[in-house]
Amino acid sequence: MRAVTGSNLQPSRSCTPTRRPRRTSRLFAGLALVALAGCAAPPPKDPEALAEYREANDPYESLNRKMYDLSMTLDKYSMRPVAKAYVWAVPYRVRQSLGGLVQTMNEPVVFFNDVGAGKPRRAGDAFVRWCVNMVAGLGGLIDVAKYAGYPHHDNDAGLTLATWSVPSGPYLFLPMMGPSSLRDGAGYGIDVGLSPWNYVPRGYGLLTFNWAYNIMGTINGRADHLDALDQLQKDALDPYATIRSAYQQQRKAQAEAIRNDHRATVPDWYN
């Protein structure tokens, strides 16, 4: 599941993306929209209830809650035990370094989205981070770029589309992937296409590395939020609604941060 706080956890991505014929893709998209439309709850007529309905932006709440319950059940007997074993077996510093490696491998996606959002300074920072950490940071195991004045920042295609004023669409909870929206779901597909690691050739163990990188990233990300999710499940009156609210607020804040980043293109050290 993707986390609702901090950097988003990225689920495993296919190593060899396939291209469907355009007509087939449109057919699948149309069928999905028809299925969703059938699950949408009609807006309430009471003004107060209608305001809450619009604020939640969750017309498919009934279906989403079922997907949430399914995901929590699957997580309880799969990812959570694996994450707990991972935390027990792997020291914190090692987990932190492995998380840095995953983060560095994702920097090209951040770079392309910074370019797409029209933020050249952010794109330059992401490019420098990737170059420095891949070489001096041993592939990202050590975050040398952070100490050099280039801290990590998040970006993805969903946020880029938000900076283009593309509406988020209704809230969705995707099985084993977590909170999302129509816009962010489409953005995830774009990010898969932007990641150069999804185009690695066969041979030299690169395909095996790509699988290992994705699996490790999923486990490491789940372990990072092990205690937080357990605490939420224990304390929140309605964990589903809490996750929904936190996710929507986080995405809105991230998009605003990108829009409001008006730093000069030329880095400070150049002057």
Side-chain angles (χ1 to χ4, degrees):
M1 280 177 46
R2 286 185 292 185
V4 297
T5 57
S7 58
N8 287 334
L9 171 62
Q10 295 187 343
S12 291
R13 291 172 287 191
S14 170
C15 300
T16 54
T18 58
R19 295 183 180 178
R20 293 191 181 99
R22 186 172 299 179
R23 290 182 181 178
T24 306
S25 298
R26 287 178 178 175
L27 177 60
F28 286 162
L31 291 175
L33 289 175
V34 170
L36 284 174
C39 298
K45 296 181 179 180
D46 178 73
E48 185 175 346
L50 181 60
E52 293 179 0
Y53 175 88
R54 289 175 174 171
E55 182 179 3
N57 190 28
D58 192 3
Y60 310 117
E61 182 172 354
S62 178
L63 176 62
N64 283 333
R65 284 187 179 273
K66 291 177 182 178
M67 295 300 100
Y68 169 81
D69 291 339
L70 173 63
S71 297
M72 291 299 103
T73 300
L74 293 175
D75 179 77
K76 180 180 179 180
Y77 297 106
S78 58
M79 286 305 302
R80 186 176 181 277
V82 171
K84 287 181 71 70
Y86 175 74
V87 170
W88 176 81
V90 182
Y92 171 74
R93 293 296 181 186
V94 176
R95 300 200 310 269
Q96 193 176 39
S97 293
L98 292 175
L101 184 147
V102 172
Q103 189 179 79
T104 297
M105 294 298 176
N106 192 55
E107 290 291 353
V109 176
V110 176
F111 166 78
F112 288 127
N113 279 297
D114 287 336
V115 172
K119 300 296 180 181
R121 176 64 183 274
R122 289 172 64 95
D125 289 351
F127 181 75
V128 170
R129 276 188 56 81
W130 186 79
C131 292
V132 170
N133 283 346
M134 283 296 291
V135 179
L138 304 177
L141 293 173
I142 306 171
D143 195 349
V144 178
K146 176 182 177 181
Y147 298 109
Y150 295 93
H152 173 74
H153 65 268
D154 290 317
N155 201 356
D156 56 57
L159 294 174
T160 298
L161 292 173
T163 64
W164 295 352
S165 299
V166 175
S168 69
Y171 175 79
L172 301 173
F173 197 98
L174 305 178
M176 296 306 293
M177 291 179 64
S180 186
S181 66
L182 284 180
R183 182 185 65 205
D184 290 346
Y188 173 74
I190 295 172
D191 286 338
V192 171
L194 290 176
S195 176
W197 311 111
N198 289 326
Y199 303 95
V200 295
R202 295 183 179 275
Y204 305 102
L206 292 176
L207 199 59
T208 302
F209 169 79
N210 194 32
W211 274 103
Y213 148 70
N214 280 290
I215 293 172
M216 183 191 66
T218 301
I219 296 173
N220 195 76
R222 179 64 181 90
D224 284 346
H225 300 89
L226 191 60
D227 293 337
L229 189 55
D230 284 351
Q231 195 68 30
L232 184 145
Q233 293 287 336
K234 178 181 177 181
D235 296 341
L237 295 176
D238 186 352
Y240 170 84
T242 301
I243 290 175
R244 179 182 63 196
S245 177
Y247 177 79
Q248 291 173 335
Q249 291 178 32
Q250 182 195 41
R251 297 297 286 178
K252 183 178 179 179
Q254 288 176 319
E256 284 299 315
I258 296 172
R259 289 193 192 97
N260 296 331
D261 189 344
H262 302 301
R263 292 177 298 164
T265 303
V266 178
D268 294 336
W269 54 260
Y270 183 80
N271 297 323

